[in-house]
Amino acid sequence: MTEIAKLGEFGLINHLTNDIKVKNISTKYGIGDDCAVLSYPDKQVLITTDMLMEGVHFDLTYIDMQHLGYKAAQVNISDIFAMNATPRQLLVSMALSKRFTVEDVEQFYEGLKAACNEWQVDIVGGDTTSSYTGLAISITCIGEADKDEIVYRNGAKDTDLICVSGDLGAAYMGLQLLEREKTVYYQQVDEARKKNNTQALEQLKTFQPDFSGKEYLLQRQLKPEARGDIVAQLREAGIRPTAMMDISDGLSSELLHICKQSHCGCRIYEKNIPIDYQTAVMAEELNMNVTTCAMNGGEDYELLFTVPIGDHAKIEAMQGVKLIGHITRPEYGTMLVTRDDTEFELTAQGWNPLKAEDKV
Amino acid sequence: MTEIAKLGEFGLINHLTNDIKVKNISTKYGIGDDCAVLSYPDKQVLITTDMLMEGVHFDLTYIDMQHLGYKAAQVNISDIFAMNATPRQLLVSMALSKRFTVEDVEQFYEGLKAACNEWQVDIVGGDTTSSYTGLAISITCIGEADKDEIVYRNGAKDTDLICVSGDLGAAYMGLQLLEREKTVYYQQVDEARKKNNTQALEQLKTFQPDFSGKEYLLQRQLKPEARGDIVAQLREAGIRPTAMMDISDGLSSELLHICKQSHCGCRIYEKNIPIDYQTAVMAEELNMNVTTCAMNGGEDYELLFTVPIGDHAKIEAMQGVKLIGHITRPEYGTMLVTRDDTEFELTAQGWNPLKAEDKV
């Protein structure tokens, strides 16, 4: 294991980035100067940034550095797709405490590069520095779109159909699963210590929780995929959403954003919310309401979008997209219709990153 | 004082940003969607990002939140000027632990906005989240330039003149001063505690160190200014630097970057390095070599640039720019010529952010 200070900032950056080859013609100059230089003569430029703090946004007992790098990139790329745009460049800043080694950062970059390669995104800059307290990550992603292609949150109209890609709640269930296994593990360690059972303690060092039958939940939590495929499908089908965003804080919270910014109401149907079989089983096991998990769970990184009612047949024909309700006039409120036809006002119970206890 | 969790992420962002008015025609959409949207049909786009960690890059016992916001913005804006470009947009991410209040973040934004207003920069997005451990800040700044205007680090040529703006070492001396006063303060508190001197302890609560005669050093450390004025002056004088960067890690380290990337050597003269009177006095007081401080101190945010020898007269006529040496062929090395005509090879003793003990 190599101490980071040994390489120094410039040595480390060089070590991590010297194999990066520029893929986009819009990237004029990448890493190596005060700024990266881009050129977008015919397109509008989209830019988004996210900060990820150890302990708040990720727990390195659950996720390894490679998955973390992959996820950090996908999550930002997802924001570009959510505007119906194409991701092109990415900047990555990391602050690392002394417990991180060069190999750890290499792993992070492996994951980051894998995600960037998947979407043909150029890593063009960033900052690498130290922290006294764990790992902090900040990613900025840049994309492009024709002016008329960009889809904001504010374009939803009365009678528009509300659609989501993929399924919801699985990433949150994956997190619950990881947290449960962590608790079980520490309980076993505690017990073994109390009983002074050195053999059990030794065995626990190589403890591997059994996740069989729950692989999808883990994958959704640890290896989310930005839905560029859905954006491409919509384009092929000739559908231009009227409003769109990605679901990072839970369907409920995101739908409220669209309704607020579009000055409209909505009606969505519990029975239409796409939920995977593993999500339902896990919710059952944990005695949680699976709809609540899907509505408020967060980290799904699926796309939530609205389309004109005239696109109904096209949407029905699409793979991986589910019609969950429709937009209404604002006076009808923002409602969830349950399986037994009761109406509930949507509330943003999504994860509040400023009050970590708040979740669901 | 208002707890941040009370407002929530969106409430807080709204509270901080609802008075922001877009100033640049390149800003098509600012805060409020998945991405900001920019338009640069006729210019190249420059982008830079920086991460600032509490305890590593700033100490809130020295700097208040308003100055920190101001400095964080100026430091990033400085990177845009360092490419001979014009700053236009800025994104700001903050991760805050529970000890920070809404009022703290307001103060930070006050400073941030003051710097952005000074340079007509639009705040177009960012991220606000929580941290378990202090304050983390990440700023991304976007600028524009004509393709032919952009000045990289790699264009310096044999016989070019090496110039710096302003003076060097003062920001570092300011930091030394603040650290000295902090040490003195805690020594006094310790002594008063040992002697159980409650009266002295009470007086120490309102302790105000005497910084008279050293105001410039503090200003340089706490309130740096990006040198957009120098970029404008160069343009007016019809001078296009062959290479340029800003001095954040110390003259020595930055000059080595230019020489490495331009495949050249350099010769600079100790007697020409601009040093303020207060910097010299403070170095004397602390028994430090003032040239070493100017060469390796860092955080000056002055511009280091090279110009063709034909611009000699124009540079001589400019206010606030000092000619410190010249570029040579690479085989002559990267040399500092001292007052007594001794030659020293330059070494990058600049601050290594990955090894905080490393400084000077």
Coordinates of all heavy atoms in Angstrom, one line a residue, chain A residues 9-10 29 32-38 40-41 44-48 50-51 53 55-57 79 83 95 127 129-130 132-133 138 140 142 152-153 245-246 257 261 353-354, chain B residues 9-10 29 32-38 40-41 44-48 50-51 53 55-57 79 82-83 95 127 129-130 132-133 138 140 142 152-153 245-246 257 261 353-354:
Chain A
E9 N 0.6 15.8 -4.8 CA -0.6 16.1 -5.6 C -0.4 15.9 -7.0 O -1.2 15.2 -7.7 CB -1.1 17.6 -5.3 CG -2.4 17.9 -6.0 CD -2.8 19.3 -5.9 OE1 -2.0 20.1 -5.3 OE2 -3.9 19.7 -6.4
F10 N 0.6 16.4 -7.6 CA 0.8 16.4 -9.0 C 1.2 15.0 -9.5 O 0.8 14.5 -10.5 CB 1.8 17.5 -9.5 CG 1.4 18.8 -9.0 CD1 2.2 19.5 -8.1 CD2 0.2 19.4 -9.5 CE1 1.8 20.8 -7.7 CE2 -0.2 20.7 -9.1 CZ 0.6 21.4 -8.2
Y29 N -9.2 21.0 -24.3 CA -8.0 20.8 -23.5 C -8.6 20.3 -22.1 O -9.5 20.8 -21.6 CB -7.3 22.2 -23.2 CG -6.0 22.0 -22.7 CD1 -4.8 22.1 -23.5 CD2 -5.8 21.9 -21.3 CE1 -3.6 21.9 -22.9 CE2 -4.5 21.7 -20.7 CZ -3.4 21.7 -21.6 OH -2.1 21.6 -21.0
G32 N -4.4 19.5 -16.8 CA -3.0 20.0 -17.0 C -2.8 21.5 -17.0 O -1.7 22.0 -17.0
D33 N -3.9 22.3 -16.9 CA -3.7 23.7 -16.9 C -4.6 24.3 -15.8 O -5.2 23.6 -15.0 CB -4.0 24.4 -18.3 CG -3.1 25.6 -18.5 OD1 -3.2 26.5 -17.8 OD2 -2.4 25.5 -19.5
D34 N -4.8 25.6 -15.7 CA -5.6 26.2 -14.7 C -7.1 25.8 -14.9 O -7.9 25.7 -14.0 CB -5.5 27.7 -14.7 CG -4.1 28.2 -14.3 OD1 -3.8 28.0 -13.1 OD2 -3.4 28.7 -15.1
C35 N -7.5 25.6 -16.2 CA -8.9 25.3 -16.5 C -8.9 24.2 -17.6 O -7.9 24.1 -18.4 CB -9.6 26.5 -17.1 SG -9.8 27.9 -16.0
A36 N -10.0 23.6 -17.8 CA -10.2 22.8 -19.0 C -10.9 23.7 -20.0 O -11.5 24.7 -19.6 CB -11.2 21.6 -18.7
V37 N -10.7 23.4 -21.3 CA -11.3 24.3 -22.3 C -12.2 23.4 -23.2 O -11.8 22.4 -23.7 CB -10.2 24.9 -23.2 CG1 -10.8 25.8 -24.3 CG2 -9.2 25.7 -22.3
L38 N -13.4 23.9 -23.4 CA -14.4 23.2 -24.1 C -15.0 24.1 -25.2 O -14.8 25.3 -25.2 CB -15.6 22.9 -23.2 CG -15.3 22.3 -21.8 CD1 -16.5 22.1 -21.0 CD2 -14.5 21.0 -21.9
Y40 N -18.5 24.7 -27.6 CA -19.9 24.3 -27.9 C -20.5 25.3 -28.8 O -21.4 26.0 -28.4 CB -20.6 24.2 -26.6 CG -20.4 22.9 -25.9 CD1 -19.6 22.8 -24.7 CD2 -20.9 21.7 -26.4 CE1 -19.3 21.6 -24.1 CE2 -20.6 20.5 -25.7 CZ -19.8 20.5 -24.6 OH -19.6 19.3 -24.0
P41 N -20.0 25.4 -30.1 CA -20.6 26.4 -31.0 C -22.0 26.3 -31.3 O -22.8 27.2 -31.5 CB -19.7 26.3 -32.2 CG -19.1 25.0 -32.2 CD -19.0 24.6 -30.7
Q44 N -26.3 24.1 -26.6 CA -26.3 24.7 -25.3 C -25.5 23.8 -24.4 O -25.4 22.6 -24.6 CB -27.7 25.0 -24.8 CG -28.3 26.1 -25.7 CD -29.4 26.9 -25.0 OE1 -30.1 26.4 -24.2 NE2 -29.5 28.1 -25.4
V45 N -24.9 24.4 -23.3 CA -24.1 23.6 -22.4 C -24.8 23.4 -21.1 O -25.4 24.4 -20.5 CB -22.8 24.5 -22.1 CG1 -21.8 23.7 -21.3 CG2 -22.2 25.0 -23.4
L46 N -24.9 22.2 -20.6 CA -25.5 21.9 -19.4 C -24.5 21.5 -18.3 O -23.5 20.8 -18.6 CB -26.5 20.7 -19.6 CG -27.7 21.2 -20.5 CD1 -27.4 20.7 -21.9 CD2 -29.0 20.7 -19.9
I47 N -24.7 22.0 -17.1 CA -23.7 21.7 -16.1 C -24.4 21.4 -14.7 O -25.4 22.0 -14.4 CB -22.8 22.9 -16.0 CG1 -21.6 22.6 -15.0 CG2 -23.4 24.2 -15.6 CD1 -20.4 23.4 -15.2
T48 N -23.9 20.4 -14.0 CA -24.5 20.0 -12.8 C -23.4 19.6 -11.8 O -22.3 19.1 -12.3 CB -25.5 18.8 -13.0 OG1 -26.0 18.4 -11.7 CG2 -24.8 17.6 -13.6
D50 N -22.4 17.8 -7.7 CA -22.9 17.0 -6.6 C -21.8 16.8 -5.6 O -20.6 16.6 -6.0 CB -23.3 15.6 -7.0 CG -24.8 15.4 -6.9 OD1 -25.4 16.0 -6.0 OD2 -25.3 14.8 -7.8
M51 N -22.1 16.8 -4.3 CA -21.1 16.6 -3.3 C -21.5 15.4 -2.5 O -22.6 15.2 -2.1 CB -21.0 17.8 -2.4 CG -19.8 18.0 -1.6 SD -19.6 19.6 -1.0 CE -17.8 19.7 -0.8
M53 N -20.4 13.1 0.8 CA -19.5 13.1 2.1 C -19.6 11.7 2.7 O -20.7 11.1 2.9 CB -20.1 14.1 3.1 CG -20.1 15.5 2.5 SD -18.5 16.3 2.2 CE -17.9 16.4 3.9
G55 N -20.0 9.0 5.3 CA -20.8 8.9 6.6 C -22.2 9.5 6.3 O -23.2 9.0 6.9
V56 N -22.3 10.4 5.4 CA -23.6 11.0 5.0 C -24.2 10.3 3.8 O -25.3 9.8 3.8 CB -23.5 12.5 4.8 CG1 -24.9 13.1 4.5 CG2 -23.0 13.2 6.1
H57 N -23.4 10.3 2.7 CA -23.9 9.8 1.4 C -23.4 8.4 1.1 O -23.9 7.8 0.2 CB -23.4 10.7 0.3 CG -23.9 12.1 0.5 ND1 -23.2 13.1 1.1 CD2 -25.1 12.7 0.1 CE1 -23.9 14.2 1.1 NE2 -25.1 14.0 0.5
D79 N -28.1 13.4 -14.0 CA -28.6 14.8 -14.0 C -28.6 15.4 -15.4 O -29.4 16.2 -15.8 CB -27.9 15.7 -13.1 CG -28.4 15.6 -11.6 OD1 -29.6 15.4 -11.5 OD2 -27.6 15.6 -10.7
M83 N -32.2 16.2 -18.3 CA -32.5 17.4 -19.0 C -32.7 17.0 -20.5 O -32.7 17.9 -21.4 CB -31.4 18.5 -18.9 CG -31.1 18.9 -17.5 SD -32.3 20.0 -16.7 CE -32.0 21.5 -17.5
A95 N -11.2 14.9 -1.5 CA -10.4 15.3 -0.3 C -10.3 14.0 0.5 O -11.3 13.3 0.8 CB -11.1 16.4 0.5
D127 N -9.7 18.3 -8.6 CA -8.8 18.8 -7.6 C -8.6 17.6 -6.7 O -9.5 16.8 -6.5 CB -9.6 19.9 -6.8 CG -8.6 20.7 -5.9 OD1 -7.4 20.5 -6.0 OD2 -9.1 21.5 -5.1
T129 N -7.0 16.7 -2.9 CA -6.4 17.4 -1.8 C -6.7 16.5 -0.5 O -7.1 15.4 -0.6 CB -7.1 18.8 -1.6 OG1 -6.3 19.5 -0.7 CG2 -8.5 18.8 -1.3
S130 N -6.3 17.1 0.6 CA -6.4 16.2 1.8 C -7.5 16.7 2.7 O -8.0 17.8 2.6 CB -5.1 16.1 2.6 OG -4.7 17.4 3.0
Y132 N -9.0 16.1 7.0 CA -8.6 15.5 8.3 C -9.6 14.5 8.7 O -9.4 13.7 9.6 CB -8.6 16.6 9.4 CG -7.3 17.4 9.3 CD1 -7.3 18.8 9.1 CD2 -6.1 16.7 9.5 CE1 -6.1 19.4 9.0 CE2 -4.9 17.4 9.5 CZ -4.9 18.8 9.3 OH -3.7 19.4 9.2
T133 N -10.7 14.4 7.9 CA -11.9 13.6 8.4 C -12.5 12.9 7.3 O -13.6 13.3 6.8 CB -12.9 14.6 9.0 OG1 -13.1 15.6 8.1 CG2 -12.4 15.1 10.4
S138 N -16.5 15.6 -4.8 CA -17.4 16.6 -5.6 C -17.2 16.3 -7.1 O -16.1 16.3 -7.5 CB -17.0 18.0 -5.2 OG -17.7 18.9 -6.0
T140 N -18.5 17.4 -11.0 CA -19.2 18.3 -11.9 C -19.3 17.7 -13.2 O -18.3 17.2 -13.7 CB -18.5 19.7 -12.0 OG1 -18.4 20.2 -10.7 CG2 -19.2 20.6 -12.9
I142 N -20.7 18.0 -17.3 CA -21.1 18.9 -18.4 C -21.7 18.1 -19.5 O -21.1 17.1 -19.9 CB -19.8 19.7 -18.8 CG1 -19.3 20.5 -17.6 CG2 -20.2 20.7 -20.0 CD1 -17.8 20.4 -17.5
Y152 N -37.0 20.8 -19.3 CA -36.9 21.4 -17.9 C -38.0 20.7 -17.0 O -38.8 19.8 -17.5 CB -37.2 22.9 -17.9 CG -36.0 23.6 -18.6 CD1 -36.1 23.9 -20.0 CD2 -34.9 24.1 -17.9 CE1 -35.0 24.5 -20.6 CE2 -33.9 24.8 -18.5 CZ -34.0 25.0 -19.9 OH -32.9 25.7 -20.5
R153 N -38.1 21.1 -15.8 CA -39.1 20.6 -14.9 C -40.4 21.3 -15.0 O -41.4 20.9 -14.5 CB -38.6 20.7 -13.4 CG -37.4 20.0 -13.1 CD -36.9 20.2 -11.7 NE -35.7 19.5 -11.4 CZ -35.1 19.5 -10.2 NH1 -35.5 20.3 -9.3 NH2 -34.0 18.8 -10.1
M245 N -37.2 14.8 -14.8 CA -36.1 14.9 -13.9 C -35.7 13.5 -13.5 O -36.4 12.6 -13.8 CB -36.4 15.8 -12.7 CG -37.6 15.3 -11.8 SD -38.1 16.6 -10.6 CE -36.6 16.6 -9.6
D246 N -34.6 13.4 -12.8 CA -34.2 12.0 -12.3 C -34.7 11.9 -10.9 O -34.8 12.8 -10.1 CB -32.8 11.7 -12.5 CG -31.8 12.5 -11.7 OD1 -32.2 13.6 -11.2 OD2 -30.7 12.0 -11.4
H257 N -41.8 18.6 -7.2 CA -41.0 19.6 -7.9 C -41.6 19.9 -9.2 O -41.7 21.1 -9.6 CB -39.5 19.1 -8.1 CG -38.7 19.2 -6.9 ND1 -38.4 20.4 -6.2 CD2 -38.0 18.2 -6.2 CE1 -37.6 20.1 -5.2 NE2 -37.4 18.9 -5.1
Q261 N -43.1 23.5 -10.2 CA -42.5 24.4 -11.3 C -43.4 24.5 -12.5 O -43.3 25.4 -13.3 CB -41.1 23.8 -11.6 CG -40.2 24.0 -10.4 CD -38.7 23.9 -10.8 OE1 -38.3 24.3 -11.9 NE2 -37.9 23.5 -9.9
P353 N -31.1 15.7 3.1 CA -29.6 15.5 3.4 C -29.1 16.4 4.5 O -28.0 16.3 4.9 CB -29.0 15.9 2.0 CG -30.0 16.8 1.4 CD -31.3 16.4 1.8
L354 N -30.0 17.4 4.9 CA -29.6 18.3 5.9 C -30.1 17.8 7.3 O -29.9 18.4 8.3 CB -30.1 19.7 5.7 CG -29.5 20.3 4.4 CD1 -30.1 21.6 4.1 CD2 -28.0 20.5 4.6
Chain B
E9 N -33.2 21.3 2.7 CA -32.3 21.6 1.6 C -32.9 22.7 0.7 O -32.3 23.7 0.3 CB -31.9 20.4 0.8 CG -30.9 20.6 -0.3 CD -30.6 19.4 -1.2 OE1 -31.3 18.4 -1.0 OE2 -29.8 19.5 -2.0
F10 N -34.1 22.4 0.2 CA -34.7 23.3 -0.8 C -35.1 24.7 -0.2 O -34.9 25.7 -0.8 CB -35.9 22.6 -1.4 CG -35.5 21.3 -2.0 CD1 -36.0 20.1 -1.5 CD2 -34.6 21.2 -3.1 CE1 -35.7 18.9 -2.0 CE2 -34.2 19.9 -3.6 CZ -34.8 18.8 -3.0
Y29 N -30.2 29.4 -18.0 CA -31.0 28.9 -16.9 C -30.1 28.7 -15.7 O -29.1 28.0 -15.9 CB -31.8 27.6 -17.3 CG -32.9 27.2 -16.4 CD1 -34.2 27.6 -16.7 CD2 -32.7 26.6 -15.2 CE1 -35.3 27.3 -15.8 CE2 -33.7 26.3 -14.3 CZ -35.0 26.6 -14.6 OH -36.0 26.3 -13.8
G32 N -32.4 25.7 -10.1 CA -33.8 25.3 -10.0 C -34.1 24.1 -10.8 O -35.2 23.6 -10.8
D33 N -33.2 23.5 -11.6 CA -33.5 22.3 -12.3 C -32.3 21.3 -12.1 O -31.5 21.5 -11.2 CB -33.7 22.6 -13.8 CG -34.7 21.7 -14.4 OD1 -34.6 20.5 -14.4 OD2 -35.7 22.3 -14.9
D34 N -32.3 20.2 -12.8 CA -31.2 19.2 -12.7 C -29.9 19.8 -13.0 O -28.8 19.4 -12.5 CB -31.5 18.0 -13.5 CG -32.8 17.3 -13.0 OD1 -32.7 16.7 -11.9 OD2 -33.8 17.2 -13.8
C35 N -29.9 20.7 -14.0 CA -28.6 21.3 -14.5 C -28.8 22.8 -14.7 O -30.0 23.3 -14.9 CB -28.2 20.8 -15.9 SG -27.9 19.0 -15.9
A36 N -27.8 23.6 -14.7 CA -27.8 24.9 -15.3 C -27.6 24.8 -16.8 O -27.0 23.9 -17.3 CB -26.7 25.8 -14.7
V37 N -28.1 25.8 -17.5 CA -28.0 25.8 -19.0 C -27.3 27.0 -19.5 O -27.7 28.2 -19.1 CB -29.4 25.7 -19.7 CG1 -29.2 25.6 -21.2 CG2 -30.1 24.4 -19.2
L38 N -26.2 26.9 -20.2 CA -25.4 28.0 -20.7 C -25.3 28.0 -22.2 O -25.5 26.9 -22.8 CB -24.0 27.9 -20.2 CG -23.8 27.5 -18.7 CD1 -22.4 27.3 -18.3 CD2 -24.5 28.5 -17.8
Y40 N -22.8 29.2 -25.4 CA -21.5 29.8 -25.8 C -21.3 29.6 -27.3 O -20.3 28.9 -27.7 CB -20.3 29.2 -25.0 CG -20.3 29.8 -23.6 CD1 -20.7 29.1 -22.5 CD2 -19.8 31.1 -23.4 CE1 -20.6 29.7 -21.2 CE2 -19.8 31.7 -22.2 CZ -20.2 31.0 -21.1 OH -20.1 31.6 -19.8
P41 N -22.1 30.2 -28.1 CA -21.9 29.9 -29.6 C -20.6 30.4 -30.2 O -20.1 29.9 -31.1 CB -23.2 30.6 -30.2 CG -23.6 31.6 -29.2 CD -23.2 31.1 -27.9
Q44 N -15.0 29.9 -26.6 CA -14.7 28.6 -26.0 C -15.0 28.8 -24.5 O -15.1 29.9 -23.9 CB -13.2 28.3 -26.2 CG -13.0 27.9 -27.7 CD -11.8 27.0 -27.9 OE1 -10.8 27.0 -27.2 NE2 -11.9 26.2 -29.0
V45 N -15.3 27.6 -23.9 CA -15.8 27.6 -22.5 C -14.7 27.1 -21.6 O -14.1 26.0 -21.9 CB -17.0 26.6 -22.4 CG1 -17.6 26.7 -21.0 CG2 -18.0 26.9 -23.5
L46 N -14.4 27.8 -20.5 CA -13.3 27.4 -19.6 C -13.9 27.0 -18.3 O -14.9 27.6 -17.8 CB -12.3 28.5 -19.4 CG -11.5 28.8 -20.7 CD1 -12.1 30.0 -21.4 CD2 -10.1 29.0 -20.4
I47 N -13.4 25.9 -17.7 CA -14.0 25.4 -16.5 C -12.9 25.0 -15.5 O -11.9 24.4 -15.9 CB -15.0 24.3 -16.8 CG1 -15.8 23.9 -15.6 CG2 -14.4 23.1 -17.5 CD1 -17.1 23.2 -15.9
T48 N -13.1 25.3 -14.3 CA -12.1 25.0 -13.2 C -12.9 24.7 -11.9 O -14.0 25.2 -11.7 CB -11.2 26.2 -13.0 OG1 -10.3 25.8 -11.9 CG2 -11.9 27.5 -12.6
D50 N -12.4 23.6 -7.5 CA -11.5 23.7 -6.3 C -12.3 23.1 -5.1 O -13.5 23.4 -5.0 CB -11.1 25.1 -6.0 CG -9.7 25.4 -6.2 OD1 -8.9 24.5 -6.0 OD2 -9.4 26.5 -6.7
M51 N -11.6 22.4 -4.3 CA -12.2 21.9 -3.1 C -11.5 22.5 -1.8 O -10.3 22.5 -1.8 CB -12.1 20.4 -3.0 CG -13.1 19.7 -2.2 SD -13.2 18.0 -2.7 CE -14.8 17.6 -2.0
M53 N -11.3 22.3 2.3 CA -11.7 21.5 3.5 C -11.4 22.3 4.8 O -10.2 22.7 4.9 CB -11.0 20.2 3.5 CG -11.3 19.3 2.3 SD -13.0 18.8 2.1 CE -13.1 17.6 3.4
G55 N -9.9 23.0 8.3 CA -8.8 22.4 8.9 C -7.6 22.3 8.0 O -6.5 22.3 8.4
V56 N -7.9 22.0 6.7 CA -6.8 21.9 5.8 C -6.6 23.2 5.0 O -5.4 23.7 5.0 CB -7.1 20.8 4.7 CG1 -5.9 20.6 3.7 CG2 -7.3 19.4 5.5
H57 N -7.6 23.7 4.5 CA -7.5 25.0 3.6 C -7.9 26.2 4.4 O -7.6 27.3 3.9 CB -8.4 24.8 2.4 CG -8.0 23.7 1.5 ND1 -8.6 22.4 1.7 CD2 -7.0 23.5 0.6 CE1 -8.0 21.6 0.8 NE2 -7.1 22.2 0.1
D79 N -8.5 31.4 -11.4 CA -8.1 30.4 -12.4 C -8.6 30.7 -13.8 O -8.0 30.3 -14.8 CB -8.6 29.0 -11.9 CG -7.7 28.3 -11.0 OD1 -6.5 28.4 -11.1 OD2 -8.2 27.7 -10.0
A82 N -6.4 33.4 -15.1 CA -5.1 32.8 -15.4 C -5.0 32.2 -16.8 O -3.9 32.0 -17.3 CB -4.7 31.8 -14.4
M83 N -6.1 32.0 -17.5 CA -6.2 31.5 -18.9 C -6.4 32.7 -19.8 O -6.7 32.5 -21.0 CB -7.2 30.5 -19.1 CG -7.2 29.3 -18.1 SD -5.9 28.1 -18.5 CE -6.5 27.3 -20.0
A95 N -20.9 21.3 2.2 CA -21.3 20.2 3.2 C -21.1 20.8 4.6 O -20.0 21.2 4.9 CB -20.6 18.9 3.0
D127 N -24.8 22.5 -4.7 CA -25.3 21.4 -3.9 C -25.2 21.9 -2.4 O -24.2 22.5 -2.1 CB -24.5 20.2 -4.2 CG -25.2 18.9 -3.7 OD1 -26.4 19.0 -3.2 OD2 -24.6 17.8 -3.7
T129 N -25.5 20.2 1.4 CA -25.7 19.0 2.0 C -25.1 19.0 3.4 O -24.6 20.0 3.8 CB -25.3 17.8 1.1 OG1 -25.7 16.6 1.6 CG2 -23.7 17.8 1.0
S130 N -25.2 17.8 4.1 CA -24.6 17.8 5.4 C -23.3 17.0 5.5 O -23.0 16.2 4.6 CB -25.6 17.3 6.4 OG -26.0 16.0 6.2
Y132 N -20.6 15.2 8.6 CA -20.5 14.9 10.1 C -19.3 15.6 10.7 O -19.2 15.6 11.9 CB -20.3 13.3 10.2 CG -21.6 12.6 10.1 CD1 -21.9 11.7 9.2 CD2 -22.7 12.9 11.1 CE1 -23.1 11.0 9.1 CE2 -23.9 12.3 11.0 CZ -24.1 11.3 10.0 OH -25.3 10.7 9.9
T133 N -18.5 16.2 9.8 CA -17.2 16.7 10.3 C -16.8 18.0 9.7 O -16.0 18.0 8.7 CB -16.1 15.6 9.9 OG1 -16.3 15.3 8.5 CG2 -16.2 14.4 10.7
S138 N -16.9 23.1 -2.3 CA -16.4 22.9 -3.7 C -17.0 23.9 -4.6 O -18.2 24.1 -4.6 CB -16.8 21.5 -4.1 OG -16.4 21.3 -5.5
T140 N -17.0 25.5 -8.6 CA -16.7 25.3 -10.0 C -17.0 26.7 -10.7 O -18.0 27.3 -10.5 CB -17.6 24.2 -10.6 OG1 -17.3 23.0 -9.9 CG2 -17.3 24.1 -12.1
I142 N -16.9 28.9 -14.4 CA -17.0 28.8 -15.8 C -16.7 30.2 -16.4 O -17.2 31.2 -15.9 CB -18.3 28.3 -16.3 CG1 -18.6 26.9 -15.7 CG2 -18.5 28.3 -17.8 CD1 -19.9 26.7 -15.1
Y152 N -2.3 29.3 -22.4 CA -2.0 28.1 -21.6 C -0.7 28.2 -20.9 O 0.0 29.3 -21.0 CB -2.0 26.9 -22.6 CG -3.3 26.6 -23.2 CD1 -3.7 27.2 -24.4 CD2 -4.2 25.7 -22.6 CE1 -5.0 26.9 -25.0 CE2 -5.4 25.4 -23.2 CZ -5.8 26.0 -24.4 OH -7.0 25.7 -24.9
R153 N -0.3 27.2 -20.2 CA 1.0 27.2 -19.5 C 2.2 26.8 -20.5 O 3.3 26.9 -20.1 CB 1.0 26.2 -18.4 CG 0.0 26.5 -17.3 CD 0.0 25.4 -16.3 NE -1.0 25.7 -15.2 CZ -1.3 24.9 -14.2 NH1 -0.7 23.8 -14.0 NH2 -2.2 25.3 -13.3
M245 N -0.3 31.6 -15.6 CA -1.0 30.9 -14.6 C -1.1 31.7 -13.3 O -0.4 32.8 -13.2 CB -0.4 29.5 -14.3 CG 1.0 29.5 -13.7 SD 1.7 27.8 -13.6 CE 0.6 27.0 -12.4
D246 N -2.0 31.4 -12.4 CA -2.0 32.1 -11.2 C -1.1 31.5 -10.1 O -0.9 30.3 -10.1 CB -3.4 32.4 -10.7 CG -4.2 31.2 -10.2 OD1 -3.8 30.1 -10.7 OD2 -5.1 31.3 -9.4
H257 N 6.1 24.6 -13.3 CA 5.0 24.1 -14.2 C 5.1 24.7 -15.6 O 5.0 24.0 -16.6 CB 3.6 24.5 -13.6 CG 3.1 23.6 -12.5 ND1 3.0 22.2 -12.6 CD2 2.8 23.9 -11.2 CE1 2.5 21.8 -11.5 NE2 2.4 22.7 -10.6
Q261 N 5.9 22.5 -18.9 CA 5.0 22.3 -20.0 C 5.4 23.1 -21.2 O 4.9 22.7 -22.3 CB 3.6 22.8 -19.5 CG 3.0 21.9 -18.4 CD 1.5 22.0 -18.2 OE1 0.8 22.4 -19.2 NE2 1.0 21.8 -17.0
P353 N -0.8 19.9 -0.7 CA -2.0 19.8 0.1 C -2.3 18.3 0.5 O -3.2 18.1 1.3 CB -3.1 20.2 -1.0 CG -2.5 20.0 -2.3 CD -1.0 20.2 -2.1
L354 N -1.5 17.4 0.0 CA -1.6 16.0 0.4 C -0.7 15.7 1.6 O -0.6 14.6 2.1 CB -1.4 15.1 -0.7 CG -2.4 15.3 -1.9 CD1 -2.0 14.4 -3.1 CD2 -3.8 14.8 -1.4

